Amino acid sequence: MKALVFQGSGRTSWQDVPDPSIKAAGDAVIRVEAVTICGTDLHIVKGDVPEVTPGTVLGHEAVGEVVEVGSDVRTVRPGDRVLISCIAACGRCGFCRENRYGQCRGGGGWVLGHLIDGTQAEYVRVPFADLSVHPLPSAVTSEDAVLLADIFPTGYEVGVLNGRVRPGDTVVVVGAGPIGLATIATAQLYTPGRIIAVDLAESRLEAARSMGADATVSAAEEPEQLVRDLTDGLGAEVVVEAVGVPEAFEQCTRMVRPGGHVANVGVHGKPAALHLEDLWIKDVTITTGLVDTHSTPLLLRMMAAERLPAASAMVTHRFELGQMEEAYEVFSDAAHTGALKVVLGGPKHDEVSVAA
């Protein structure tokens, strides 16, 4: 089969690799129908994630059709159309029993495209299939569903839930890329008083407004002052870092009010300064996190009920699967291409209307 293979810092190739096969009784082999590229993949290619070794197939988000399952798999069977979660879960370890699948110690966690071959391929082997893939209702298209593999659960769990968004809160989201937009969309489930989006790119700020942000500001135009002006000088109850650069994290800590929450979502490849000389007295809570995807079934039901934005609100570029390298070029040069989310794949699934 063909797959995108990491060749070392700054290098990838779309090449022939061996077909995946069942290695454990809980595995499933899935033919990839739709796949996307994550900002984390860009960090890997840059060399920011040293655990990824040359020769690894990249990718951790996909939708596809089950073609083979191990003897212990009970929840899916060949022919099923499924969402592949970015997180695998053994279901047995202490962390999995707490729904903290991202910290799985039984062979799961973030393994696809990280510690084992991933989804940016024609076929992929998924371990612990009973907990790591989700059967898809016919009402949800593959293009919509692939947004639930990572960005929506990440924005919701690591941004909204960790940030403890409450009704009436001022929420600032720094970074209006796909994760930031998913955070904006799911924060509205808790009726915050206002959502402020911060980014350098006007195209992304426009996307944030269409996703429900009440105010937007360029990261180069004193967003801290805007936040102070809108909060009587106090700062925001919740500030979400969705970029992954030191300057953005430090900016977030300057915009949070006493007693507030800073929820770091971004993947950082460099150290960021933690100014405890300013923060120690403010009762600020700072959270970090890898998504657990415990919310995926809930979000999938909401997507089927049209309570979440469709892919058309976020997907800016579409490619055939064999155009993987071109898709990476477009996605990595978002400042010039305007890319938000790119989707690659084969046939689109027919939508089914659901009566009101």
Side-chain angles (χ1 to χ4, degrees):
M1 71 170 184
K2 293 286 189 181
L4 188 80
V5 179
F6 177 61
Q7 301 288 4
S9 183
R11 295 180 293 119
T12 61
S13 64
W14 179 252
Q15 65 181 65
D16 289 317
V17 299
D19 292 348
S21 60
I22 300 296
K23 294 184 178 180
D27 290 351
V29 173
I30 296 169
R31 179 183 62 80
V32 173
E33 180 178 309
V35 67
T36 184
I37 303 170
C38 180
T40 304
D41 295 321
L42 300 184
H43 282 281
I44 292 171
V45 174
K46 290 177 183 177
D48 291 343
V49 188
E51 299 87 3
V52 182
T53 58
T56 302
V57 176
L58 297 181
H60 52 268
E61 306 163 82
V63 169
E65 180 183 333
V66 177
V67 297
E68 186 179 5
V69 297
S71 60
D72 286 351
V73 176
R74 297 290 181 267
T75 60
V76 295
R77 60 186 179 181
D80 286 350
R81 183 169 150 268
V82 296
L83 168 68
I84 302 172
S85 175
C86 65
I87 299 295
C90 79
R92 298 184 177 91
C93 72
F95 285 110
C96 282
R97 289 174 180 271
E98 297 172 354
N99 288 339
R100 297 179 65 184
Y101 306 136
Q103 304 302 319
C104 174
R105 290 299 183 266
W110 174 34
V111 292
L112 290 171
H114 180 209
L115 304 179
I116 66 174
D117 287 338
T119 59
Q120 289 169 4
E122 294 176 321
Y123 294 86
V124 58
R125 178 183 71 90
V126 180
F128 309 115
D130 279 336
L131 286 174
S132 306
V133 302
H134 303 271
L136 287 173
S138 57
V140 178
T141 68
S142 295
E143 192 172 89
D144 286 342
V146 79
L147 302 181
L148 299 176
D150 186 349
I151 62 169
F152 270 109
T154 296
Y156 179 58
E157 294 175 18
V158 188
V160 176
L161 296 185
N162 280 3
R164 298 187 183 179
V165 175
R166 297 174 300 181
D169 281 354
T170 293
V171 178
V172 178
V173 179
V174 178
I179 293 291
L181 295 177
T183 303
I184 291 168
T186 53
Q188 293 170 72
L189 301 174
Y190 294 85
T191 58
R194 64 170 67 88
I195 300 174
I196 304 167
V198 181
D199 202 284
L200 283 169
E202 176 54 36
S203 61
R204 295 194 167 199
L205 294 177
E206 181 179 347
R209 289 190 288 271
S210 70
M211 202 64 68
D214 301 288
T216 60
V217 59
S218 170
E221 296 180 359
E222 299 186 3
E224 297 161 49
Q225 184 60 53
L226 174 65
V227 172
R228 284 194 292 269
D229 290 346
L230 292 176
T231 60
D232 296 324
L234 285 175
E237 282 90 353
V238 182
V239 186
V240 179
E241 199 283 340
V243 182
V245 298
E247 295 81 6
F249 174 77
E250 293 168 32
Q251 186 177 65
C252 287
T253 63
R254 294 193 296 268
M255 290 192 288
V256 67
R257 71 169 56 194
H261 289 75
V262 175
N264 183 88
V265 185
V267 178
H268 289 265
K270 297 178 181 179
L274 180 61
H275 291 284
L276 288 176
E277 72 278 10
D278 298 323
L279 296 171
W280 74 271
I281 201 170
K282 293 177 67 175
D283 296 344
V284 169
T285 299
I286 298 174
T287 57
T288 65
L290 174 66
V291 65
D292 294 309
T293 65
H294 63 76
S295 67
T296 301
L298 167 66
L299 296 173
L300 184 55
R301 291 195 299 272
M302 294 181 66
M303 179 73 78
E306 299 182 352
R307 295 295 189 266
L308 290 177
S312 57
M314 199 176 299
V315 175
T316 54
H317 296 76
R318 296 165 177 84
F319 300 89
E320 296 298 322
L321 194 61
Q323 296 176 290
M324 190 69 70
E325 291 173 311
E326 180 183 348
Y328 260 83
E329 290 177 4
V330 169
F331 186 62
S332 63
D333 193 23
H336 295 100
T337 64
L340 285 172
K341 200 68 175 167
V342 303
V343 171
L344 306 93
K348 293 183 174 14
H349 186 75
D350 292 335
E351 294 189 38
V352 176
S353 298
V354 179

